[in-house]
């Protein structure tokens, strides 16, 4: 363990070396850069030792392929995991510096968008904490999704320049670069296929240490950056004055790792996204094979030493790419290659939404990746033959299950066929996959399907983001819960202890005051910390039903206009969300939320009983402020649409009470906390499917018989909101004429649930007991538990402690 004296000496030296300045002259960036560099160096010895330990023991290693890794900031998390957070705070305080102030300089890494990327980051954290040999593989995006600004109520996208001030945590490994090839002509020579006339791209790896919690284990997140091969630009073209053309090849190549999720609503965007997916898959698998060969183990037993996990459909090309390498480069036949691939690869399905189950046009795919397409064609031909001859399927069934159909390649089907395990991410989600969405596949390969409910790392979402609550927990039950968060259940022994309840309440109040200060600073809105902080923070999508929330707020506003003196529990409704740049109705929903906020927040007639806040540029760091302060967690997706959710778990762990449909992991939260500690509403799974199947759902009857709904809908288009009557016509039309996500159907039930929340909140004892019950039962949703289930049930690997 590093002593305070050593830490101070190392820091002062690092600050001088890195900045060339004294501590008095150094900027906050200098202070941060020196501290982060020093922390990375402290982790580096364990990093080297960990990799050597894995190789020496020839243990089975997991490579987790994901298009996103939403890591957030590293400094505080790494200090905590190294056991240096208190030391750092004390040393910096002695030097007249503030750790929290220095840590605020760090930018969130622009490597993800939402739940998919944050889950991957939590899994990386848990694998390191459990000393499970697992590494991430993704893309080093120069720019993140986008930086969101709200201008006149509208979302406006700006580049997320997260790399502007360098990334101190990464280490460039240029010697481990590989080439990835696009386009070209497929040739056959001596029984092996190869490509000619390709467009090669250099994939350069940047490694980031993933530090385990006080266990001397450091795993690796490897991110690949695309670079042009051989020359920066065409000098002869440049000399002729054709400056843009001279750099075109360089820019075309580098565009592959420039931006997360390029707009794929047009062909150029689709091609770029397809390039991204093959780029990091090919680079990652080439790197795995190269490292594996150094172990001297037989390639035919690859699956005994390597597990490749496909996180959603984006990395599905891992299957044909591994086939290509085994056949074209290692000389294996088809059958043996297929056996190795299937035993090596596993797949997590994250959705049932059709738009998220990737499909690629054959014409585009075959041109860009001709050899990979040939292999997929052969996979499809053999699979369809098996469906006919082994499983005796009809032509209609074969057409439904084929990898290639209607001129498209179905990436989810490819992942299912080529993996030995397919898992859903919540029990309800898995059952829907088995019994409805992927029923055809489940019927012929039931042993492949399993459930692994998502989880979150309590080190990030409780210890790091809510340190005061963590201290109270440790005071009452000791610190073993940090190693095993399921011990949080012991808090139930103190649920009737008034002192304990008061301490929990004091922490929540302090966190609410901090959020109120943030809102005042960033939004210039004064909110009341005594009001219910009702938070709806997640990616903006119609099925997540931010629309239901804002329509209900409009109803409450109307109610208070009619009766300003009503005995009404004050509420602060807080939204945070990004909408995809091409998702017009989602962006208009943001405009609606901000329009309602302007109206409500400035109307003195309602006496500040409602405030509405939209916090721009939702990120991990913003979530770390929001979640500890939330009283109510909005998890109101249309039942059957949310695969799992992890925001629901983070809010729960921080003592928020969930208002929820029985969707995704909400079902399991309900089972953990019981009927009295969650506020449920809405259609059940059976009712949703019945409405879809009968095709009889119409909104006319609901609108005619519920004056609350009719009033708010009319207000969308009659000028009441103070904007052009056409502004929100698309939202009006979506819920009145095509209420695909049953916003109006669930409105009455949601309003009644919100009434119950107000009733519970007025009784302090009831509310605190609900909050404590949620904290106490959140440990079962730790990603440590989830990862242990993956390790034993899918990857067949185990801990490799020092």
């Amino acid at each position: 363990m590093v002593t305070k004296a050593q830490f101070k000496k190392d820091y002062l030296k690092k600050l001088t070396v890195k900045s060339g300045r004294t501590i008095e002259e150094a900027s906050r960036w200098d202070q941060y850069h020196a501290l982060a560099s020093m922390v990375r160096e402290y982790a580096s010895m364990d990093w080297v030792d960990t990799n050597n330990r894995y190789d020496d023991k020839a243990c089975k290693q997991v490579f987790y392929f994901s298009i996103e890794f939403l890591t957030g900031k590293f400094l505080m998390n790494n200090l905590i995991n190294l056991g240096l957070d208190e030391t750092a705070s004390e040393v910096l305080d002695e030097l007249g510096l503030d750790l929290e102030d220095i840590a605020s300089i760090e930018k969130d890494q622009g490597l993800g968008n939402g739940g998919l990327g944050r889950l991957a980051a939590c899994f990386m954290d848990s694998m390191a904490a459990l000393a499970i040999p697992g590494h991430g593989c993704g893309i080093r995006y120069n720019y993140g999704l986008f930086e969101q600004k709200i201008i006149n109520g509208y979302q406006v996208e700006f580049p997320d320049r997260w790399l502007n001030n360098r990334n101190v945590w990464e280490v460039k490994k240029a010697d481990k670069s590989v080439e990835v090839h696009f386009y070209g002509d497929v040739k056959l020579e001596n029984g092996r296929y190869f490509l000619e006339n390709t467009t090669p791209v250099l994939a350069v790896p940047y490694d980031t240490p993933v530090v385990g919690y006080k266990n001397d284990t450091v795993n690796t997140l490897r991110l690949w950056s695309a670079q042009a091969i051989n020359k920066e630009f065409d000098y002869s073209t440049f000399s002729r004055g054709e400056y843009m053309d001279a750099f075109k090849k360089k820019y075309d190549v580098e565009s592959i790792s420039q931006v997360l999720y390029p707009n794929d609503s047009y062909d150029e965007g689709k091609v770029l996204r397809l390039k991204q997916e093959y780029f990091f898959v090919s680079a990652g698998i080439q790197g795995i094979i190269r490292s594996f060969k150094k172990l001297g183990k037989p390639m035919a037993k690859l699956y005994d030493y390597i597990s490749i996990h496909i996180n959603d459909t984006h990395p599905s090309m891992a299957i044909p790419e591994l086939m290509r390498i085994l056949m074209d480069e290692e000389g294996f036949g088809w059958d043996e290659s297929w056996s190795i691939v299937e035993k090596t690869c596993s797949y997590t399905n994250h959705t049932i939404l059709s738009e998220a189950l990737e499909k690629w046009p054959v014409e585009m795919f075959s041109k860009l990746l001709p050899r990979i397409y040939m292999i997929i064609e052969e996979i499809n031909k053999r699979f369809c033959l098996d469906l006919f001859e082994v499983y005796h399927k009809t032509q209609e069934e074969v057409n439904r299950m084929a990898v290639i159909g209607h001129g498209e390649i179905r990436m989810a089907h490819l992942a299912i066929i080529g993996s030995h395990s397919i898992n859903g991410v919540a029990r309800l989600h898995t059952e829907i996959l088995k019994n409805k969405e992927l029923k055809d596949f489940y019927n012929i390969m039931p042993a492949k399907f399993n459930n692994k409910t998502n989880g979150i790392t309590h080190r990030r979402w409780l210890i790091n983001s809510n340190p005061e609550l963590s201290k109270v927990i440790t005071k009452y039950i000791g610190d073993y819960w940090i190693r095993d968060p399921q011990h949080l259940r012991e808090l139930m022994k103190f649920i009737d202890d008034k002192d304990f309840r008061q301490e929990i309440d004091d922490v929540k109040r302090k966190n609410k005051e901090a959020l109120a200060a943030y809102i005042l600073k960033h939004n210039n809105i004064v909110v009341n910390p005594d009001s219910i902080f009702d938070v709806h923070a997640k990616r903006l999508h119609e099925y997540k039903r931010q629309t239901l929330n804002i329509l209900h707020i409009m109803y409450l506003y109307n109610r208070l206009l009619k009766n300003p003196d009503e005995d009404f529990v004050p509420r602060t409704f807080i939204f945070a969300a990004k909408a995809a740049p091409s998702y017009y109705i989602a962006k208009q929903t943001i405009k609606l939320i901000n329009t309602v906020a302007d109206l409500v927040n400035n109307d003195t007639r309602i006496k500040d009983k409602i405030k509405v806040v939209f916090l721009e540029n939702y990120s991990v760091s913003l979530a770390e402020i929001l979640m500890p302060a939330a009283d109510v967690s909005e998890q109101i997706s249309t039942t059957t649409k949310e695969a799992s959710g992890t925001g629901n778990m983070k809010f729960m762990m921080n003592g928020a009470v969930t208002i929820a449909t029985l969707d995704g992991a909400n079902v399991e939260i309900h089972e953990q906390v019981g009927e009295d500690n969650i506020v449920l509403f809405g259609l059940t799974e059976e009712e949703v499917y019945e409405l879809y199947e009968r095709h009889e759902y119409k909104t006319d009857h609901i609108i005619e018989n519920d004056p609350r709904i009719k009033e708010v809908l009319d207000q969308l288009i009659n000028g009441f909101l103070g904007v052009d009557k056409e502004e929100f016509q698309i939202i009006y039309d979506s819920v009145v004429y095509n209420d695909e996500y049953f916003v109006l159907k669930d409105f009455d039930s949601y309003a009644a649930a919100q009434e119950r929340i107000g009733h519970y909140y007025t009784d302090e004892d009831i509310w605190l007991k609900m909050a404590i019950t949620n904290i106490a039962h959140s440990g079962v949703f730790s990603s440590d538990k989830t990862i242990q289930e993956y390790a034993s049930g899918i990857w067949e690997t185990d801990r490799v402690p020092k």
Side-chain angles (χ1 to χ4, degrees):
M1 177 62 68
V2 179
T3 64
K4 279 179 59 177
Q6 185 65 48
F7 193 98
K8 180 183 287 188
K9 178 182 177 183
D10 291 346
Y11 181 66
L12 291 172
K13 180 179 180 181
K14 184 65 67 176
L15 183 62
T16 302
V17 171
K18 286 289 182 181
S19 69
R21 299 174 179 177
T22 66
I23 192 168
E24 292 79 17
E25 296 171 329
S27 67
R28 275 202 304 164
W29 163 252
D30 294 330
Q31 295 161 7
Y32 162 74
H33 190 224
L35 181 59
S37 298
M38 190 175 80
V39 171
R40 195 196 77 190
E41 288 178 11
Y42 282 160
S44 292
M45 292 303 296
D46 286 335
W47 198 7
V48 172
D49 289 344
T50 299
N51 287 324
N52 289 338
R53 184 165 76 245
Y54 292 163
D55 289 344
D56 291 345
K57 296 187 177 183
C59 56
K60 189 173 186 180
Q61 299 191 50
V62 178
F63 293 87
Y64 194 87
F65 280 68
S66 180
I67 199 80
E68 296 183 44
F69 287 94
L70 193 58
T71 59
K73 299 179 180 181
F74 277 103
L75 178 58
M76 287 306 302
N77 209 58
N78 285 346
L79 282 169
I80 289 169
N81 287 353
L82 290 169
L84 292 173
D85 48 321
E86 291 184 9
T87 300
S89 182
E90 291 170 7
V91 166
L92 292 171
D93 186 59
E94 291 173 7
L95 294 171
L97 305 176
D98 181 72
L99 175 58
E100 188 174 324
D101 189 45
I102 291 173
S104 69
I105 290 295
E106 184 175 2
K107 289 182 70 70
D108 283 50
Q109 300 210 355
L111 303 172
N113 172 31
L116 181 78
R118 186 53 233 172
L119 180 77
C122 283
F123 279 7
M124 290 299 101
D125 180 276
S126 285
M127 280 192 264
L130 295 173
I132 288 173
H135 316 286
C137 182
I139 298 177
R140 181 183 181 266
Y141 302 102
N142 288 346
Y143 299 93
L145 184 70
F146 58 84
E147 182 178 350
Q148 180 194 55
K149 296 288 186 183
I150 301 300
I151 300 176
N152 296 326
Y154 296 98
Q155 170 181 293
V156 181
E157 301 91 18
F158 293 89
D160 175 14
R161 299 180 176 89
W162 73 278
L163 279 172
N164 262 14
N165 287 326
R166 295 164 290 168
N167 176 13
V168 68
W169 302 106
E170 67 185 10
V171 179
K172 184 177 180 179
K173 298 288 184 69
D175 60 312
K176 296 185 182 296
S177 300
V178 297
E179 289 187 12
V180 177
H181 293 263
F182 297 98
Y183 303 105
D185 304 308
V186 181
K187 302 292 183 181
L188 179 64
E189 187 175 286
N190 299 323
R192 294 193 193 182
Y193 289 95
F194 64 97
L195 283 167
E196 286 184 341
N197 306 316
T198 64
T199 300
V201 173
L202 191 68
V204 181
Y206 288 74
D207 288 356
T208 298
V210 182
V211 182
Y213 182 73
K214 298 181 181 179
N215 66 351
D216 302 320
T217 295
V218 180
N219 287 339
T220 301
L221 172 60
R222 173 162 288 182
L223 304 173
W224 298 90
S225 180
Q227 294 185 15
I229 293 177
N230 296 329
K231 52 189 177 182
E232 289 293 302
F233 62 94
D234 189 321
Y235 193 83
S236 60
T237 305
F238 185 87
S239 299
R240 294 195 300 270
E242 299 170 14
Y243 304 124
M244 296 303 296
D245 289 344
F247 286 92
K248 186 177 186 306
K249 287 183 180 180
K250 170 182 165 65
Y251 293 150
D252 284 349
V253 167
E254 291 181 353
S255 68
I256 293 172
S257 56
Q258 284 285 36
V259 180
L260 169 67
Y261 292 146
N263 186 349
D264 61 357
S265 59
Y266 55 97
D267 283 351
E268 290 84 353
K270 284 188 174 71
V271 170
L272 179 55
R273 185 157 167 174
L274 185 55
K275 281 183 178 180
Q276 287 182 332
E277 293 184 5
Y278 181 67
F279 169 75
F280 89 94
V281 162
S282 177
I285 291 181
Q286 288 185 63
I288 290 169
I289 296 298
R290 181 172 57 189
S291 296
F292 177 72
K293 285 182 173 182
K294 292 179 181 177
L295 294 178
K297 305 296 181 182
M299 188 65 67
K301 296 294 183 180
L302 178 71
Y303 50 84
D304 284 338
Y305 303 93
I306 299 293
S307 183
I308 294 172
H309 197 82
I310 298 168
N311 189 35
D312 217 7
T313 53
H314 314 108
S316 298
M317 277 184 278
I319 290 162
E321 175 66 5
L322 185 53
M323 286 291 289
R324 180 191 70 80
I325 291 173
L326 290 172
M327 293 188 299
D328 298 356
E329 298 181 8
E330 302 300 323
F332 288 93
W334 180 278
D335 291 338
E336 190 171 11
S337 296
W338 184 251
S339 176
I340 294 168
V341 167
E342 191 175 16
K343 291 173 182 176
T344 303
C345 294
S346 50
Y347 163 58
T348 294
N349 176 287
H350 282 277
T351 187
I352 60 171
L353 296 179
S354 58
E355 68 265 27
L357 292 173
E358 286 188 311
K359 303 177 183 69
W360 292 108
V362 165
E363 184 177 359
M364 177 186 295
F365 192 107
S366 59
K367 181 180 179 182
L368 182 68
L369 302 168
R371 177 57 180 145
I372 297 300
Y373 178 68
M374 281 181 63
I375 293 170
I376 292 174
E377 267 194 318
E378 186 65 18
I379 292 171
N380 182 59
K381 185 179 80 172
R382 291 173 181 243
F383 177 64
C384 290
L385 190 63
D386 280 349
L387 290 177
F388 279 122
E389 297 184 351
V390 178
Y391 299 105
H392 310 295
K393 296 295 182 181
T394 65
Q395 184 64 58
E396 181 183 353
E397 290 172 314
V398 172
N399 291 343
R400 281 203 309 263
M401 299 174 71
V403 178
I404 302 173
H406 303 292
E408 294 180 317
I409 302 171
R410 301 157 175 167
M411 304 307 285
H413 294 196
L414 175 64
I416 291 167
I417 294 164
S419 300
H420 69 271
S421 169
I422 301 101
N423 72 280
V425 291
R427 193 170 65 244
L428 175 62
H429 172 238
T430 300
E431 291 305 307
I432 290 171
L433 293 180
K434 287 159 57 175
N435 299 319
K436 292 185 181 294
E437 303 302 325
L438 301 179
K439 183 179 179 180
D440 289 333
F441 292 95
Y442 176 70
N443 285 342
I444 66 169
M445 49 185 80
K448 283 190 177 187
F449 283 78
N450 61 93
N451 178 61
K452 299 289 179 285
T453 298
N454 282 343
I456 60 170
T457 170
H458 60 290
R459 287 168 292 275
R460 167 75 67 170
W461 296 108
L462 188 51
I463 299 170
N464 186 3
S465 63
N466 204 341
E468 295 303 316
L469 178 57
S470 300
K471 289 175 186 175
V472 173
I473 292 169
T474 297
K475 175 181 174 181
Y476 280 86
I477 66 171
D479 63 2
Y480 191 72
W481 69 273
I482 296 173
R483 293 289 182 185
D484 183 359
Q486 294 197 64
H487 281 266
L488 287 169
R489 286 180 182 271
E490 294 175 19
L491 292 173
M492 293 302 292
K493 294 186 294 187
F494 302 96
I495 198 165
D496 293 316
D497 185 318
K498 290 185 178 179
D499 291 338
F500 173 64
R501 292 209 304 265
Q502 187 60 54
E503 290 186 55
I504 293 292
D505 192 37
D506 290 346
V507 169
K508 180 65 72 171
R509 172 72 187 204
K510 184 178 178 181
N511 290 332
K512 291 176 73 173
E513 289 173 350
L515 178 56
Y518 181 95
I519 291 169
L520 179 61
K521 178 180 179 181
H522 291 85
N523 291 64
N524 199 29
I525 299 170
V526 176
V527 300
N528 176 12
D530 290 321
S531 65
I532 299 173
F533 277 20
D534 182 309
V535 183
H536 200 158
K538 53 181 74 250
R539 179 169 56 91
L540 211 149
H541 194 289
E542 288 169 276
Y543 85 82
K544 294 179 184 287
R545 299 204 293 190
Q546 285 91 348
T547 305
L548 174 58
N549 191 343
I550 195 62
L551 291 179
H552 174 257
I553 293 169
M554 291 171 64
Y555 152 65
L556 292 180
Y557 175 59
N558 291 334
R559 202 170 97 187
L560 286 172
L561 285 178
K562 295 181 179 77
N563 184 11
D565 295 321
E566 177 186 343
D567 185 13
F568 183 92
V569 183
R571 282 171 161 83
T572 299
F573 293 97
I574 302 166
F575 294 84
K578 289 183 178 181
S582 61
Y583 195 173
Y584 180 66
I585 192 169
K587 295 178 75 169
Q588 284 303 101
T589 303
I590 290 175
K591 172 62 175 174
L592 175 60
I593 292 167
N594 283 296
T595 300
V596 172
D598 286 343
L599 185 64
V600 169
N601 297 342
N602 294 296
D603 194 331
T604 57
R605 292 173 294 175
I606 65 170
K607 304 176 182 180
D608 288 334
K609 290 181 177 178
I610 299 176
K611 288 292 180 74
V612 182
V613 179
F614 188 96
L615 295 175
E616 68 182 10
N617 206 39
Y618 187 45
S619 63
V620 174
S621 294
L622 179 53
E624 290 174 350
I625 300 170
L626 272 175
M627 289 168 175
D631 293 308
V632 174
S633 163
E634 294 273 353
Q635 307 298 329
I636 62 175
S637 56
T638 307
T639 301
T640 74
K641 296 302 180 185
E642 185 71 83
S644 174
T646 52
N648 46 11
M649 303 168 188
K650 296 162 196 168
F651 281 110
M652 173 195 190
M653 187 172 277
N654 283 277
V657 174
T658 310
I659 180 170
T661 54
L662 281 172
D663 194 28
N666 295 343
V667 175
E668 289 156 81
I669 291 176
H670 172 233
E671 290 175 359
Q672 289 295 318
V673 303
E675 193 78 22
D676 295 335
N677 298 293
I678 187 172
V679 183
L680 297 175
F681 77 96
L683 296 166
T684 64
E685 173 197 358
E686 293 78 14
E687 289 169 334
V688 165
Y689 278 117
E690 183 180 359
L691 285 171
Y692 281 134
E693 289 165 5
R694 289 170 57 188
H695 303 290
E696 293 177 359
Y697 171 57
K698 292 183 173 59
T699 60
D700 305 20
H701 180 76
I702 295 172
I703 297 170
E704 290 169 6
N705 288 278
D706 193 328
R708 301 169 301 175
I709 292 176
K710 186 176 190 312
E711 184 175 25
V712 297
L713 290 176
D714 287 345
Q715 288 170 342
L716 289 176
I717 56 173
N718 66 8
F720 174 82
L721 296 174
V723 296
D724 190 285
K725 292 181 181 181
E726 300 296 317
E727 182 75 63
F728 302 120
Q729 186 72 49
I730 189 173
I731 296 175
Y732 178 90
D733 291 345
S734 73
V735 294
V736 172
Y737 302 118
N738 182 31
D739 191 12
E740 181 181 359
Y741 299 109
F742 306 122
V743 170
L744 301 188
K745 188 73 173 175
D746 274 348
F747 182 93
D748 181 62
S749 180
Y750 178 67
Q754 283 283 0
E755 285 294 305
R756 296 200 300 277
I757 285 173
H759 173 72
Y760 298 145
Y761 192 78
T762 56
D763 189 317
E764 187 175 14
D765 283 344
I766 288 177
W767 191 262
L768 281 171
K769 286 182 178 181
M770 293 174 76
I772 291 165
T773 301
N774 274 272
I775 298 168
H777 291 84
S778 64
V780 72
F781 297 109
S782 164
S783 52
D784 289 6
K785 176 177 180 291
T786 310
I787 283 298
Q788 192 59 64
E789 292 173 354
Y790 272 89
S792 60
I794 296 178
W795 302 328
E796 296 182 345
T797 190
D798 205 349
R799 304 182 185 209
V800 185
K802 187 170 181 179

